[in-house]
């Protein structure tokens, strides 16, 4: 990893266990002489390679692009609010902006995970196309409007790995009773396959894995997973990440704070999020490749594919889980239909472009 883009594991662990900030941080955002300061909370340990660094870069981008007129005071997970409470923090005015992932909010907004990833759904560039050109952004806005939130894509960790397992999973039977950290719709899929999925904040995953509270976990790709230290607890690492074929991070912005911005600052925030979305996706591709090699060569991690019977069972369970959205509330049904329409439109092109080329390139190696 490049030194300027990474931190030592000692620094990472120390930062992730930082205590809560003083009560002064709860004061109203600074607004003086045309300067606005937003409190920026995240679901990530401080400077976590991948989304944690994305949050820091996003704050830096907005400050630089606005020439200091809008600054974001960054708080990592639990420095101001716990990792899985950032949605409420922005909705309730404790902070003006958050960086997180929509799949964490399935318990309160059923269709929220669609805007991070859907099992066997859209790949990273397909997802971006749906949001930007297929009507996804308007549906996302509508979904969060009742909570006073404006969402934007803001970073992407790309294709995900399937997960880390204490023991090999060779058959569907191996999922029976398996305690796995897997939020979102992927967790529902594995539940239908007999597993017991749980949602755990990112900073709490490794201790849960080491203590045996969970038997397995998924998180992101090799770059972020290695920084989290999962290879120190278990050695079986599976692919593909059928449960999350994409890794969109979301910026959650207080609608009232957004409306109070001048139009040029709104444009700066939007374009800073777009820039970080593209940059982070490219970074994930580059860093995941080297991290995967290091996990295998240096740490002797057993990287293996899911057996086809497991993938087939996952496909069947996914169809069952996704079909339920047809009979949920009207907005959830419309989001489901819109994403399916995007898959039908983009799938044939992806097949003859990316898929065909990668297959052809592999045959020439």
């Amino acid at each position: 990893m490049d030194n300027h883009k990474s931190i030592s594991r000692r620094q990472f662990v120390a930062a992730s266990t930082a205590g809560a900030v003083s009560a002064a941080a709860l004061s109203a955002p600074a607004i003086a002489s045309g300067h606005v300061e937003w409190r920026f909370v995240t679901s990530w340990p401080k400077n976590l390679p991948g989304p944690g660094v994305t949050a820091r870069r996003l704050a830096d981008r907005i400050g630089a692009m606005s020439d200091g007129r809008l600054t974001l005071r960054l708080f990592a997970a639990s420095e101001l609010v716990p990792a899985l409470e950032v949605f409420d923090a922005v909705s309730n005015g404790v902070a003006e902006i958050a960086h997180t992932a929509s799949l964490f909010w399935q318990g309160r907004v059923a269709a929220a995970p669609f805007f991070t990833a859907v099992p066997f759904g859209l790949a990273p560039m397909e997802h971006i196309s749906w949001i930007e050109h297929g009507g996804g952004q308007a549906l996302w806005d509508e979904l969060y409007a009742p909570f006073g939130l404006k969402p934007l894509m803001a970073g992407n960790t790309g294709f995900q790995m399937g997960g880390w397992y204490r023991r090999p999973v060779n058959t569907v039977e191996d999922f029976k009773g398996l305690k796995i950290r897997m939020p979102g719709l992927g967790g529902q899929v594995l539940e239908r396959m007999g597993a017991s999925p749980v949602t755990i904040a990112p900073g709490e995953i490794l201790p849960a894995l080491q203590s045996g509270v969970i038997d397995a976990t998924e998180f992101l790709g090799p770059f972020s997973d290695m920084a989290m230290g999962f290879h120190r607890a278990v050695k079986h690492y599976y692919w593909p990440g059928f449960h999350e074929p994409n890794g969109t991070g979301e910026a959650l912005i207080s609608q009232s704070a957004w409306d109070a911005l001048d139009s040029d600052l709104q444009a700066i925030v939007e374009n800073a999020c777009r820039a970080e979305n593209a940059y982070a996706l490219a970074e994930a591709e580059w860093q995941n490749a080297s991290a995967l090699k290091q996990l295998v060569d240096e740490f002797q991690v057993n990287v293996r594919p899911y057996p086809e019977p497991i993938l087939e069972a996952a496909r069947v369970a996914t169809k069952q889980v996704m079909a339920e959205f047809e009979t949920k509330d009207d907005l959830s049904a419309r989001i489901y239909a819109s994403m399916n329409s995007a898959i039908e439109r983009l799938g044939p092109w992806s097949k003859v472009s990316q898929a065909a080329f990668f297959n052809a390139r592999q045959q020439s190696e």
Side-chain angles (χ1 to χ4, degrees):
M1 300 178 192
D2 295 341
N3 289 335
H4 74 287
K5 291 183 181 176
S6 62
I7 57 175
S8 72
R9 181 159 284 105
R10 180 177 297 175
Q11 290 172 311
F12 170 66
V13 172
S16 68
T17 57
V21 297
S22 67
L26 297 175
S27 60
I31 304 175
S33 303
H35 169 253
V36 178
E37 181 181 277
W38 279 357
R39 292 155 298 192
F40 185 16
V41 295
T42 84
S43 293
W44 322 115
K46 189 174 183 179
N47 286 332
L48 169 67
V53 175
T54 272
R56 188 193 70 213
R57 282 195 303 246
L58 184 60
D60 292 343
R61 286 184 191 279
I62 291 172
M65 292 168 70
S66 68
D67 196 23
R69 289 171 55 211
L70 174 60
T71 59
L72 275 58
R73 186 179 179 191
L74 183 63
F75 299 96
S78 297
E79 288 185 338
L80 184 56
V81 296
L84 301 185
E85 294 182 18
V86 300
F87 187 101
D88 288 337
V90 179
S91 180
N92 296 334
V94 173
E96 288 70 46
I97 184 171
H99 191 269
T100 184
S102 67
L103 57 79
F104 291 137
W105 321 127
Q106 183 180 4
R108 70 169 61 227
V109 189
F114 280 77
F115 298 97
T116 293
V118 165
F120 295 104
L122 296 165
M125 284 306 301
E126 293 176 327
H127 182 92
I128 293 170
S129 294
W130 174 51
I131 297 295
E132 296 277 22
H133 300 285
Q137 183 65 57
L139 290 166
W140 201 7
D141 289 341
E142 186 178 353
L143 186 68
Y144 284 1
F147 304 93
L149 298 173
K150 164 71 177 174
L152 293 170
M153 290 186 295
N156 195 315
T157 52
F159 286 98
Q160 315 291 282
M161 286 289 283
W164 296 83
Y165 292 79
R166 192 176 306 281
R167 297 177 297 276
V169 285
N170 298 313
T171 70
V172 177
E173 287 297 313
D174 292 327
F175 285 89
K176 305 299 184 183
L178 184 82
K179 294 174 292 185
I180 182 169
R181 184 268 182 188
M182 184 175 285
L185 298 170
Q188 285 187 273
V189 169
L190 289 196
E191 187 172 28
R192 287 177 181 262
M193 294 167 61
S196 299
V198 296
T199 297
I200 300 175
E204 300 170 9
I205 300 173
L206 181 59
L209 200 58
Q210 291 173 319
S211 66
V213 170
I214 55 176
D215 304 308
T217 186
E218 61 77 47
F219 186 51
L220 299 174
F223 179 43
S224 298
D225 286 5
M226 187 168 68
M228 293 286 276
F230 300 144
H231 59 285
R232 306 205 311 263
V234 296
K235 294 295 184 181
H236 300 289
Y237 197 25
Y238 280 84
W239 57 272
F242 64 83
H243 66 293
E244 285 179 29
N246 178 56
T248 293
E250 65 176 1
L252 289 177
I253 303 170
S254 162
Q255 188 67 56
S256 59
W258 176 259
D259 293 340
L261 288 182
D262 292 340
S263 59
D264 64 325
L265 289 180
Q266 290 180 343
I268 284 170
V269 172
E270 286 184 321
N271 284 287
C273 286
R274 280 195 175 100
E276 183 55 36
N277 206 55
Y279 188 91
L281 181 56
E283 177 185 49
E285 289 293 298
W286 190 257
Q287 298 291 1
N288 279 335
S290 58
L292 182 64
K293 186 175 188 303
Q294 186 178 0
L295 285 170
V296 173
D297 294 348
E298 182 176 341
F299 297 111
Q300 289 76 55
V301 170
N302 186 9
V303 179
R304 54 172 63 183
Y306 282 119
E308 178 55 33
I310 289 176
L311 291 176
E312 178 56 28
R315 284 189 285 265
V316 171
T318 294
K319 290 178 181 178
Q320 295 169 349
V321 168
M322 300 309 296
E324 294 177 357
F325 283 93
E326 293 180 314
T327 57
K328 287 188 185 294
D329 60 279
D330 174 69
L331 180 54
S332 293
R334 285 190 285 120
I335 291 171
Y336 173 63
S338 178
M339 190 209 69
N340 272 346
S341 178
I343 291 175
E344 291 172 1
R345 178 189 181 103
L346 297 169
W349 169 240
S350 296
K351 180 178 180 179
V352 302
S353 57
Q354 293 186 71
F357 171 74
F358 289 150
N359 182 63
R361 187 173 69 182
Q362 183 178 20
Q363 298 305 316
S364 69
E365 292 175 352

